[in-house]
Amino acid sequence: MIAEIGHFALVLALCVALVQAVVPLVGAGRGNAAWMNVAGPAATLQFLFIAVAFGALTNAYVTSDFSLMNVAQNSHTDKPMLYKVAGVWGNHEGSLLLWITILALFGFAVTLFGRNLPPGLKSRALAVQAMISVGFLAFILLTSNPFARLEPPPVNGQGLNPMLQDPGLAFHPPFLYLGYVGFSMAFSFAIAALLEGRVDAAWARWVRPWTLAAWVFLTAGIVLGSWWAYYTLGWGGWWYWDPVENASFMPWLAGTALLHSAIVVEKRDALKSWTILLAIVAFGLSLLGTFLVRSGVLTSVHAFATDPARGVFILLLLCAAVGGSLTLYAARAPAMKMGGLFAPVSREGALLLNNVLMATGAATVLLGTLYPLIADALNLGKVSVGPPFFNAVFLPLMAPMVLVMAAAPMMSWKRGDLAGVLGRLKFIAALALGVAMLVWFLQGGSAGPWWTGAGFALAVWLGLGTLWDLTERIGLFSRPAGALARAAKLPNSAWGMVLGHFGLAVFIVGLTASSAWTTEHIQSQKLGETILVGGFGVTLKSVDQVPGPNYTATRATFEISRDGKAIDVMTPEKRMYRQPPRPTTTASIRSGFTGDLYVVIGDPDPKGGWVTRLYFNPCIPWLWAGSLLLIIGGLISLADRRHRVGAPTRAASAAAKA
């Protein structure tokens, strides 16, 4: 009965979404306040109905209701409760319901926190948001019903893919979807602005917090996914340019560009058309990621669906949303006023340059991701586009972006003094060059990768340049008296920028060191044998069979020593799950300031040993620390009170005069 309530709630949500998509939009066009006011209650009601449906499916998983086909195919009574709950979104139907729930949640959030929004903009944005909901609710009801019954119900379920039975599943997809779907709100505001024919500083002030929230969630989702892959796949890496990884990275790049271009719209009333286009592209790339995961064109642990009918449906949604929005953009964007003018050398110019570089990077990743699929569809043969292509094409695009990031905050709006900015950064430039030379010397000149020194130099340039800009803002050296008071008065957005940019510098250190200097040892290791890795002695002490809640594990015990002295014990596992019967690998990781010791146990060797894989990954913790700083910086910026106040005073007064 609860399942039927959930199914009926989805039908009611579709009906409400249809009303929300039409009535407020027509009301905004006619200036009818009563019709526009329908948007808020409809968004609230839609969210409540979808929340009931999501709760009903969660209840089915928690109680192991195998009369539902979805539960029978993806759960088992032996699963720990965490994975029963996380299993709700560990499949196509459930993850799609999570997507729709988050979509409705953002609409509901606009009704709660958007009370100061102009009525016309708010009603149009919620109507566009409802149009997206209509498409996805139709998709789930017509092709992917999570409440389909199974007669007769089995005694037990088939279980969840063991690769997904990990805490990562409980957190990675929800954060990723909050990011994906969060960009729908920026998209809805962009379409609403096109329909209204007005993009100004007030619009940028409204759209920035929603974009920033989506960006923070997507960053957290990508980082959690990388960490999950790092410790469960057993190959010692955290990113492989997998097509589904790329599907999340592309909207992140577009969203990052959108955040920065919205600042220019707000501060200088410029880059309006470009900002609108970025909002469309960011959500369009999110929909593309959904298509890749659910169409069956990819084979991956990330992919859910293999039914071509579902792929066609989501492709139609993608074409309708992106094609319709770009058509509207082509019709309305030329009519927008250009706004404030600026010189190429200015803060606006620097932000635009970085926007173009990020957009080009996203296009590069898009090309590398889709080209093999297109070539296969046209019978041009199997084409593999992997890390060598992306590393050779994408990373060089990011180097000039990092160079500009350190200098851009020091430039003036409208017209900047490039020579003056570089003069203020000359000592940091000299230090960065010195670091590059030192790294080159320490790795033995050409014995190591040539780009290692460049990577560390970029990190020093960005990190110290960001801190130097902060010291100048608060007058730490020029006016030391009262510097702390001035620091306390800096807006949250300034502190968020400092932490975000510095976090990227820390991330670059981890990326460069782990890519250039990782050491790997794969061998057959006997009990009592010691292998030297990264200055550590790794001794295999024992291998035992241990039971788990729904698996049996082969657990190895390694003693870790340094300079002949035991300092730690590591216990990696190789697990065999009972239902479905499938092996997985769980690495044991010892993290330190200089890097990670990474240990994996494999299969037994016929000669009495065990296959072991031992890695030392330099500065990998710096990757996670830098990512965390990015997220914290985004959260601090999101807490800026100006996002809650609304439109700038000057924009409001200008509108009143008009």
Side-chain angles (χ1 to χ4, degrees):
M1 183 62 183
I2 294 179
E4 280 69 30
I5 292 174
H7 189 192
F8 187 56
L10 285 180
V11 176
L12 292 176
L14 176 59
C15 296
V16 173
L18 286 167
V19 172
Q20 182 185 336
V22 176
V23 175
L25 195 61
V26 175
R30 296 181 177 180
N32 188 318
W35 287 24
M36 286 192 287
N37 290 337
V38 169
T44 302
L45 193 58
Q46 183 195 155
F47 171 68
L48 291 176
F49 282 137
I50 294 174
V52 167
F54 188 81
L57 186 61
T58 303
N59 174 77
Y61 269 85
V62 170
T63 60
S64 296
D65 182 2
F66 298 123
S67 67
L68 290 187
M69 184 182 298
N70 182 263
V71 180
Q73 291 176 345
N74 298 284
S75 191
H76 193 276
T77 53
D78 288 343
K79 277 200 314 181
M81 182 56 68
L82 174 65
Y83 305 137
K84 286 185 178 181
V85 174
V88 174
W89 51 82
N91 58 87
H92 168 72
E93 293 83 1
S95 66
L96 185 58
L97 183 55
L98 176 64
W99 173 287
I100 294 170
T101 304
I102 294 172
L103 188 64
L105 175 63
F106 271 93
F108 177 57
V110 170
T111 67
L112 289 180
F113 303 111
R115 293 187 178 92
N116 295 327
L117 280 167
L121 179 65
K122 180 179 178 180
S123 59
R124 286 186 173 97
L126 286 175
V128 174
Q129 193 80 353
M131 292 177 189
I132 302 169
S133 293
V134 168
F136 278 95
L137 283 167
F139 181 29
I140 195 171
L141 286 170
L142 295 177
T143 71
S144 311
N145 181 13
F147 300 106
R149 289 290 187 179
L150 187 61
E151 294 293 342
V155 176
N156 216 327
Q158 298 176 16
L160 181 67
N161 182 345
M163 289 294 296
L164 303 179
Q165 295 189 41
D166 186 272
L169 177 66
F171 305 104
H172 164 57
F175 276 101
L176 202 64
Y177 286 9
L178 282 164
Y180 273 158
V181 183
F183 285 127
S184 70
M185 208 63 252
F187 171 83
S188 296
F189 276 113
I191 300 303
L194 288 174
L195 292 172
E196 203 170 68
R198 177 181 169 184
V199 176
D200 53 17
W203 175 87
R205 176 65 61 85
W206 294 120
V207 80
R208 273 184 63 198
W210 300 102
T211 305
L212 185 56
W215 182 88
V216 169
F217 285 130
L218 186 57
T219 304
I222 292 173
V223 172
L224 286 170
S226 296
W227 169 244
W228 183 9
Y230 179 61
Y231 72 79
T232 59
L233 297 184
W235 60 286
W238 54 276
W239 190 265
Y240 197 68
W241 295 105
D242 177 273
V244 183
E245 291 175 334
N246 296 347
S248 62
F249 188 45
M250 290 184 290
W252 186 89
L253 288 168
T256 305
L258 172 60
L259 274 177
H260 290 80
S261 64
I263 295 173
V264 180
V265 177
E266 180 186 339
K267 300 290 186 182
R268 293 285 302 141
D269 201 32
L271 302 184
K272 297 177 182 179
S273 295
W274 173 248
T275 303
I276 291 288
L277 181 60
L278 283 175
I280 295 171
V281 168
F283 184 57
L285 290 173
S286 295
L287 289 178
L288 177 64
T290 305
F291 168 71
L292 292 175
V293 172
R294 301 173 190 285
S295 62
V297 300
L298 296 178
T299 301
S300 167
V301 68
H302 306 83
F304 289 122
T306 57
D307 182 0
R310 292 172 174 175
V312 171
F313 200 112
I314 198 70
L315 182 60
L316 291 174
L317 283 178
L318 174 64
C319 293
V322 178
S325 59
L326 289 178
T327 301
L328 180 63
Y329 174 81
R332 294 295 185 94
M336 293 182 185
K337 295 180 180 179
M338 290 297 294
L341 299 177
F342 56 88
V345 178
S346 61
R347 188 179 298 189
E348 298 99 317
L351 288 170
L352 178 59
L353 174 59
N354 271 5
N355 262 230
V356 171
L357 289 171
M358 280 186 280
T360 306
T364 300
V365 177
L366 178 65
L367 175 64
T369 303
L370 294 185
Y371 183 75
L373 303 177
I374 296 172
D376 187 39
L378 298 178
N379 294 320
L380 300 178
K382 295 289 184 181
V383 178
S384 176
V385 177
F389 167 80
F390 292 106
N391 292 339
V393 178
F394 175 80
L395 293 180
L397 287 171
M398 297 299 103
M401 184 194 76
V402 174
L403 289 173
V404 174
M405 283 177 66
M410 297 185 179
M411 290 188 180
S412 301
W413 294 105
K414 194 174 181 178
R415 183 179 299 276
D417 179 10
L418 181 60
V421 170
L422 294 179
R424 288 148 62 188
L425 292 171
K426 60 185 178 183
F427 293 112
I428 292 174
L431 184 59
L433 182 61
V435 167
M437 296 174 64
L438 177 62
V439 170
W440 174 265
F441 173 77
L442 291 177
Q443 73 174 6
S446 59
W450 65 268
W451 44 262
T452 311
F456 278 99
L458 284 173
V460 170
W461 166 261
L462 177 58
L464 295 185
T466 299
L467 295 179
W468 185 252
D469 175 53
L470 176 63
T471 63
E472 289 192 341
R473 283 171 181 255
I474 64 176
L476 182 61
F477 299 116
S478 59
R479 297 172 295 156
L484 289 179
R486 289 189 292 272
K489 292 180 181 179
L490 282 179
N492 284 1
S493 58
W495 283 108
M497 180 197 71
V498 169
L499 280 177
H501 287 192
F502 189 79
L504 181 60
V506 174
F507 181 91
I508 292 172
V509 172
L511 171 66
T512 303
S514 62
S515 300
W517 297 334
T518 290
T519 56
E520 174 185 355
H521 295 264
I522 302 177
Q523 61 279 308
S524 176
Q525 188 173 359
K526 292 182 171 58
L527 293 179
E529 184 178 357
T530 300
I531 308 294
L532 294 178
V533 183
F536 294 95
V538 183
T539 305
L540 179 59
K541 303 297 289 185
S542 65
V543 179
D544 305 296
Q545 299 296 314
V546 295
N550 59 337
Y551 60 82
T552 300
T554 300
R555 178 184 295 169
T557 301
F558 290 86
E559 183 181 86
I560 311 303
S561 60
R562 192 157 208 168
D563 299 327
K565 181 180 179 181
I567 57 174
D568 204 354
V569 172
M570 300 177 67
T571 54
E573 293 182 356
K574 185 178 180 66
R575 297 174 178 176
M576 175 58 72
Y577 283 79
R578 290 191 287 274
Q579 189 62 32
R582 196 174 300 174
T584 66
T585 298
T586 300
S588 183
I589 303 170
R590 185 181 189 273
S591 292
F593 182 78
T594 58
D596 282 358
L597 180 62
Y598 186 103
V599 180
V600 178
I601 184 68
D603 296 321
D605 184 272
K607 297 181 180 179
W610 290 83
V611 176
T612 60
R613 296 198 299 278
L614 314 176
Y615 303 85
F616 184 74
N617 296 324
C619 294
I620 279 282
W622 291 56
L623 282 168
W624 316 126
S627 301
L628 184 60
L629 286 174
L630 276 169
I631 294 168
I632 294 173
L635 290 173
I636 290 175
S637 294
L638 192 59
D640 195 308
R641 64 176 298 275
R642 291 175 296 179
H643 293 320
R644 300 189 295 275
V645 171
T649 303
R650 60 179 180 83
S653 61
K657 291 177 183 178

